[in-house]
Amino acid sequence: MPGTFNLPGPSTMTYEYLLTLVSTVTYNPPSRAPTLPKPVALWLAKVAQNIWWPAISPDEVLRRYIDDVDVPGDWDKFGIIPDEIEEHAITYLRRYRSA
């Protein structure tokens, strides 16, 4: 099947909710980094491309500002029913636990 498909989850989640979920499962506190305005974050990401170790890219900054709440899903074309992320988070995050 050629084309682009939208595969959103069954429920809408915010970035803050996902950070809270990860910190709850891993027993690590969330980052204390401040939330920056988009132009400032883009500029810092472009500057960070000059260092040799991995840093956030401008593409990652742009993706954090995408609002796709009202996008219909194409799951039925593949015959898949998506699960909630809470059901599977422990499977992938267990290795990052601090205790």
Side-chain angles (χ1 to χ4, degrees):
M1 290 189 287
T4 303
F5 301 99
N6 296 317
L7 302 174
S11 59
T12 303
M13 299 187 182
T14 63
Y15 187 70
E16 290 78 20
Y17 176 77
L18 292 174
L19 285 176
T20 304
L21 175 66
V22 170
S23 67
T24 303
V25 173
T26 61
Y27 302 129
N28 291 321
S31 172
R32 298 283 184 216
T35 303
L36 300 173
K38 184 178 177 181
V40 175
L42 274 173
W43 180 80
L44 286 173
K46 289 177 184 176
V47 170
Q49 296 301 298
N50 295 327
I51 57 177
W52 62 270
W53 60 84
I56 191 167
S57 70
D59 183 55
E60 288 178 80
V61 173
L62 289 175
R63 289 177 184 271
R64 288 189 184 186
Y65 286 91
I66 293 175
D67 185 15
D68 57 355
V69 173
D70 297 327
V71 176
D74 295 325
W75 291 104
D76 55 343
K77 294 180 183 178
F78 298 100
I80 298 173
I81 299 172
D83 288 334
E84 295 291 338
I85 194 169
E86 294 88 355
E87 297 173 20
H88 302 284
I90 189 68
T91 305
Y92 299 99
L93 297 173
R94 180 178 289 138
R95 67 185 73 159
Y96 299 103
R97 285 187 168 189
S98 63

